[in-house]
């Protein structure tokens, strides 16, 4: 396969899209093959279907791709990302699940009647077995084709997975049924499956296993479909990041304002940003002052005051005045693009969680196949003839065919995720559950996770002889005319206490504060510098109040009128009322909470003290959050991360378990493993509890699914397996698995206790 376009990453590093993997053991096999090449280090991620390879100069990308293809899979360089605004972008994304969904629906429609007929003798009409054959044949051949193809690939490369057992079992059951129908007595009119549990020798001439062949195929297809649907979300975080930035920008060219797509913006271009608009790309302010809301990227809850010479980041929001910015970084060089790369690297670096069924099958499948071969050889060797020998060997494969195993994980997930959805918890897939069992540390973003993420009035401290209510009333009236987030927090608090008086002569002094006339008073609200410039003197009690507010992590402004400073108004990002209870509950689950934030140390310490967190890491940039999670993981900790902003996305993906607050950004939600719709941190406790409970149910389901099969294997090998024993065991194990899974419906939230 020739490669004619440049590599998407640095020389000697390559990213390959891998096709044809059906379980995590496939990823392990590809990884081993690549790493056996001299000078090659590879990591293959089953969840994202990508291989990340570093290689020496002696190796070529063609050789890497050829190695993957020799292993039985496909490999190719992924196409470059295409923006939704690009004319080359498809009108609608391709539905890569359509073929699998069609197989599943076909299997359900045809398999259910076959299973019902086999399990209810009263409904077994004349020639029911031939009707079952007509319905089961498309399920086994068409519906089971992905399993048969995977089994053939495994066979050619000397490997065996659950696909191998599924294919062998279903084809053996179907093939034996054909033989019994056409050459035995099973096809005679009036044949039924009697409800007899007596064990006795049988030549299998009157037994059909069509319900096993069709049922196993249907259940395994259902599990494969739900897994594939969750895997398709793997790249959604990156797509969401690309959608975050501005789509159009107003550039200044030749003294005129020209509106162009942001993709046409070049380094050095000067562009205009009006109040409320997103900043198109990274740059330096040349003219204007404003407050920039960078909370989505940096986690800072307080907008940053900027002016000429200050740098700004693309995708942040201009919350105040008019700005003229000179672009310094565009395209892949911007901070937003670098964050997208961080998310991608964190997702790809996470070890692929191997599903429990695949782990068990690594031992179970070879044992079953070896036992079937040994059974055939023993019966032939003892002179019993080929018919009973083949009957016993096929019986071994049939009883081992994982009917209940096909239900074990999907049913528990279906009930668990359904109950989670009722409680506002969205679980993305089965691989998430294993992480929740081992998690011992939870890293909590501050803004929007532990706190509300919205500025609110924390205190109105009046000077001696002044009334706090009057201080708030007049200050809020003036601030109501401002768009600044701090001003809006004060205005909301004042409006909550009663109607605000009218304001005349309002002025916004950018970077300092506001002035206006209220009830014949000339009111100033803003930085201490603003009042000093107007001849106001800040008294000792006001200075003390300002210092106390700063030490407690609050942002304070001074208000005054008629020549006197009247007091301060302190705002902060308020702690959610349920956060302290949630922290206590997390400790009860054996987790150590860590507060991680881009905010300053004082703010972080104040919040941590309020909710009961001992360890605080503050002043951390987005890339630094990933480093903190990595450092904890290197210390041997299994880390959960809860956050809500774009700045948290890479850390959420890097963590062993990512929990996104549903009130946050789409990027954080897509990069996470669990989404907490309510935004209540107690939901994180429920999510971990529910995930652990679901995992325990899956484990017990798997145990019983295999227990029934293993218990009957000696009977099958001895030739004592009555066909109804197999049918009854499979039916009972399936019913047990479903009933066991339904216990998850009784799960309750800690909020209802």
């Amino acid at each position: 396969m020739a490669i004619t376009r440049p590599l998407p990453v640095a020389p000697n590093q390559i990213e390959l899209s891998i096709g044809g993997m059906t379980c995590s053991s496939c990823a392990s096999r590809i990884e081993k093959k690549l790493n056996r090449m001299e000078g090659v280090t590879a990591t293959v991620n089953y969840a994202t279907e990508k291989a990340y390879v570093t290689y020496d100069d002696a190796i070529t990308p063609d050789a890497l791709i050829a190695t993957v293809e020799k292993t039985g899979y496909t490999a190719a360089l992924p196409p470059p990302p295409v923006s939704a605004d690009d004319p080359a972008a498809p009108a609608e994304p391709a539905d890569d699940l359509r073929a699998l969904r069609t197989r599943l629906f076909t299997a359900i429609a045809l398999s259910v009647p076959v299973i019902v007929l086999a399990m209810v003798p009263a409904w077994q009409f004349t020639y029911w077995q031939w009707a079952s054959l007509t319905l089961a044949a498309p399920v086994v051949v068409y519906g089971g084709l992905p399993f048969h193809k995977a089994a053939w690939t495994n066979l050619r490369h000397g490997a065996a997975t659950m696909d191998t057992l599924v294919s062998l079992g279903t084809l053996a059951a179907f093939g034996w049924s054909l033989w019994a129908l056409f050459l035995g007595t099973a096809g005679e009119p009036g044949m039924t499956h009697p409800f007899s549990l007596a064990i006795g020798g049988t030549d299998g001439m009157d037994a059909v296993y069509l319900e096993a062949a069709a049922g196993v195929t249907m259940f395994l297809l259902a599990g494969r479909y739900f897994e594939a649907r969750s895997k398709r979300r793997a790249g959604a975080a990156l797509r969401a990041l690309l959608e975050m930035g501005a789509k159009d920008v107003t550039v200044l060219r030749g003294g005129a304002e020209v509106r162009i797509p942001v993709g046409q913006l070049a380094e050095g271009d000067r562009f205009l940003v009006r109040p409320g608009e997103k900043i198109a790309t990274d740059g330096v302010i040349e003219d204007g002052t404003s407050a920039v809301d960078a909370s989505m990227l940096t986690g800072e809850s307080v907008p940053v005051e900027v002016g000429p010479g200050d740098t700004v980041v693309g995708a942040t929001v201009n919350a105040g005045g008019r700005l003229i910015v000179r672009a310094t970084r565009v395209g892949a060089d911007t901070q937003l693009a670098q964050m997208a790369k961080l998310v991608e690297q964190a997702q790809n670096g996470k070890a692929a969680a191997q599903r429990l069924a695949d782990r068990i099958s690594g031992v179970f499948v070879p044992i079953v196949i070896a036992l079937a071969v040994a059974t055939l050889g023993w019966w032939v060797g003892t002179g019993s003839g080929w018919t009973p020998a083949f009957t016993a060997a096929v019986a071994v494969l049939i009883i081992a065919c994982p009917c209940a195993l096909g239900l074990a994980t999907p049913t528990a997930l279906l009930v668990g995720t359904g109950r989670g959805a009722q409680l506002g918890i969205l679980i993305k897939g089965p691989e998430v559950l294993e992480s929740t069992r081992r998690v011992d540390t939870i890293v909590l973003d501050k803004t929007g996770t532990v706190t509300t993420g919205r500025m609110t009035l924390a205190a109105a401290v009046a000077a001696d002889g002044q009334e706090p209510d009057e201080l708030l009333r007049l200050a809020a009236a003036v601030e109501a005319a401002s768009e600044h987030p701090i001003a809006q927090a004060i205005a909301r608090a004042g409006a909550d206490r009663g109607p605000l008086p009218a304001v005349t002569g309002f002025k916004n002094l950018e970077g300092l504060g506001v002035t206006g006339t209220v009830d014949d008073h000339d009111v100033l609200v803003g930085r201490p510098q603003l009042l000093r410039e107007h001849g106001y003197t800040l008294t000792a009690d006001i200075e003390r109040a300002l210092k106390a507010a700063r030490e407690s992590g609050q942002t304070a402004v001074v208000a005054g009128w008629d020549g006197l400073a009247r007091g301060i108004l302190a705002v902060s990002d308020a702690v959610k009322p349920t956060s302290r209870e949630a922290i206590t509950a997390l400790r009860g689950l054996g987790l150590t909470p860590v507060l991680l934030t881009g905010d300053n140390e004082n703010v972080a310490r104040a919040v941590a003290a309020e909710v009961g967190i001992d360890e605080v890491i503050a002043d951390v940039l987005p890339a630094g959050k990933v480093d903190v999670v990595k450092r904890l993981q290197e210390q041997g900790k299994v880390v959960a991360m809860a956050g809500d902003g774009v700045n948290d996305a890479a850390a959420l993906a890097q963590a062993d378990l990512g929990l996104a607050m549903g009130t946050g950004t789409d990027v954080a939600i897509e990069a996470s493993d669990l989404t907490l719709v309510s935004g209540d941190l107690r939901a994180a406790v429920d999510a971990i509890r529910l995930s652990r409970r679901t995992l325990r149910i899956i484990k017990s389901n798997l145990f019983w699914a295999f227990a029934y099969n293993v218990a009957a294997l000696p009977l099958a090998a001895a030739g004592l397996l009555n066909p109804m024993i197999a049918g009854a065991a499979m039916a009972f194990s399936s019913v047990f698995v479903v009933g066991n899974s339904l216990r998850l419906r009784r799960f309750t939230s800690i909020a209802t206790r």
Side-chain angles (χ1 to χ4, degrees), residues 7 54 126 163 179 304 360 397 502 521 725-726 737:
L7 300 181
T54 59
T126 305
D163 288 320
W179 182 74
V304 180
I360 297 172
L397 291 175
H521 298 294
I725 294 289
V737 161

Side-chain angles (χ1 to χ4, degrees), residues 310-322:
D310 290 333
T311 60
V312 289
V313 178
T316 56
V317 179
N318 177 18
R322 180 179 183 271

Side-chain angles (χ1 to χ4, degrees), residues 574-751:
V575 172
K576 293 178 181 178
T578 58
S579 290
R580 187 174 186 87
E581 179 187 352
I583 298 300
T584 302
L586 287 169
R587 289 187 187 277
L589 292 174
L591 277 64
T592 301
V594 178
L595 189 67
L596 179 64
T597 179
D599 255 339
N600 64 67
E601 185 82 13
N602 287 342
V603 173
R605 290 285 176 191
V607 171
E610 187 172 346
V611 299
I613 297 177
D614 299 325
E615 187 174 348
V616 176
I617 304 173
D619 296 308
V620 180
L621 295 175
K625 290 190 175 185
V626 179
D627 293 337
V628 168
V629 173
K630 286 182 178 178
R631 186 170 69 248
L632 291 170
Q633 290 170 329
E634 288 168 358
Q635 294 171 3
K637 300 182 184 300
V638 182
V639 181
M641 167 79 187
D644 74 326
V646 174
N647 61 304
D648 303 317
L652 286 169
Q654 174 65 38
D656 299 284
L657 179 69
L659 300 98
M661 312 304 284
T663 52
T665 65
D666 290 343
V667 180
I669 291 170
E670 295 296 352
S672 68
D673 302 306
L674 295 164
T675 300
L676 315 177
V677 175
S678 67
D680 186 336
L681 193 56
R682 290 180 300 182
V685 181
D686 290 334
I688 294 173
R689 288 176 55 240
L690 177 60
S691 295
R692 288 179 176 179
R693 180 83 57 84
T694 304
L695 182 62
R696 287 198 298 270
I697 293 292
I698 289 176
K699 283 184 173 181
S700 63
N701 283 351
L702 290 172
F703 170 79
W704 287 108
F706 278 105
Y708 283 107
N709 292 340
V710 172
L713 279 174
L715 299 177
L720 300 175
L721 183 64
N722 187 295
M724 275 313 302
I725 294 289
M730 285 188 181
F732 187 75
S733 62
S734 298
V735 170
F736 178 87
V737 161
V738 173
N740 194 35
S741 299
L742 289 175
R743 293 194 299 133
L744 287 167
R745 296 172 64 181
R746 299 197 296 268
F747 179 88
T748 57
S749 169
I750 64 168

Side-chain angles (χ1 to χ4, degrees), residues 147-335:
F147 304 109
H148 306 321
K149 289 174 65 177
W152 174 246
T153 299
N154 293 329
L155 179 63
R156 287 192 295 117
H157 295 89
T161 65
M162 188 56 69
D163 288 320
T164 307
L165 188 56
V166 171
S167 181
L168 273 177
T170 54
L171 290 178
F174 187 70
W176 186 263
S177 299
L178 289 177
W179 182 74
L181 285 169
F182 286 98
L183 301 177
T185 59
E188 295 179 357
M191 187 279 284
T192 62
H193 273 170
F195 259 128
S196 172
L197 298 182
I199 300 175
T202 175
D203 61 4
M205 299 288 284
D206 60 346
V208 292
Y209 299 95
L210 295 171
E211 77 284 357
V216 168
T217 302
M218 178 185 70
F219 293 135
L220 269 294
L221 274 176
R224 184 69 55 83
Y225 172 74
F226 289 121
E227 181 180 44
R229 192 173 64 173
S230 66
K231 279 173 55 183
R232 191 171 60 169
R233 297 173 177 264
L238 303 180
R239 291 193 296 272
L241 267 176
L242 293 174
E243 292 298 316
M244 258 201 63
K247 301 297 184 292
D248 301 297
V249 59
T250 301
V251 295
L252 303 176
R253 291 179 178 169
E257 297 180 4
V258 182
R259 195 76 175 170
I260 62 171
V262 73
Q264 297 178 14
L265 194 62
E267 188 175 325
D269 280 347
R270 298 167 71 243
F271 60 92
L272 176 66
V273 187
R274 297 182 176 86
E277 287 186 340
K278 288 182 180 179
I279 296 173
T281 193
D282 299 357
V284 176
I285 297 175
E286 291 193 343
D287 185 47
T289 58
S290 181
V292 173
D293 182 0
S295 60
M296 303 292 272
L297 289 176
T298 66
E300 287 281 358
S301 54
V302 180
V304 180
E305 301 287 348
V306 294
D310 290 333
T311 60
V312 289
V313 178
T316 56
V317 179
N318 177 18
R322 180 179 183 271
L323 297 174
I324 295 178
V325 182
R326 176 172 49 83
T328 56
R329 292 187 295 184
V330 297
D333 295 328
T334 64
Q335 185 170 329

Side-chain angles (χ1 to χ4, degrees), residues 543-563:
E543 292 284 8
R544 283 194 299 271
L546 284 169
K547 182 180 179 182
R550 285 194 294 268
E551 290 177 348
S552 63
Q554 298 169 347
T555 302
V557 295
V558 184
W561 56 85
D562 299 340

Side-chain angles (χ1 to χ4, degrees), residues 116-128 190-194:
V116 171
L117 283 174
M119 297 303 173
V120 184
W123 293 355
Q124 292 173 0
F125 54 86
T126 305
Y127 296 119
W128 68 274
M191 187 279 284
T192 62
H193 273 170

